[in-house]
Amino acid sequence: MGLALLPTIVSTATLAIASRNIGATKASVLGVFEPITAIIVGTLMFGEPLTTNIIVGISIAMVAVTFMITVTKR
């Protein structure tokens, strides 16, 4: 329960702060990196396997975020 509740509270609070400081669009783009962070923590701390499919998925997400940041001129 603690592993689910505390990260949810921290994530929601930091998203609200980020939205105020950098704007909702940029904060939502940065939110794409949250699952990537979870995968990295799971692999390093809990010994979860890092498969080729996961690496390809991370790469696609990072390319998409980079594309959105560079193409969007807002």
Side-chain angles (χ1 to χ4, degrees):
M1 183 73 169
L3 287 174
L5 190 60
L6 182 62
T8 301
I9 292 170
V10 170
S11 176
T12 304
T14 54
L15 179 62
I17 293 167
S19 294
R20 272 187 267 139
N21 290 337
I22 64 172
T25 303
K26 290 180 182 176
S28 65
V29 168
L30 290 175
V32 171
F33 290 109
E34 188 176 349
I36 296 170
T37 305
I39 291 168
I40 292 170
V41 169
T43 301
L44 296 177
M45 309 256 328
F46 302 115
E48 293 180 2
L50 186 62
T51 64
T52 304
N53 287 344
I54 293 173
I55 293 171
V56 169
I58 289 172
S59 301
I60 291 171
M62 292 180 74
V63 168
V65 169
T66 304
F67 177 75
M68 290 299 295
I69 291 170
T70 57
V71 171
T72 305
K73 299 296 180 187
R74 290 183 184 189

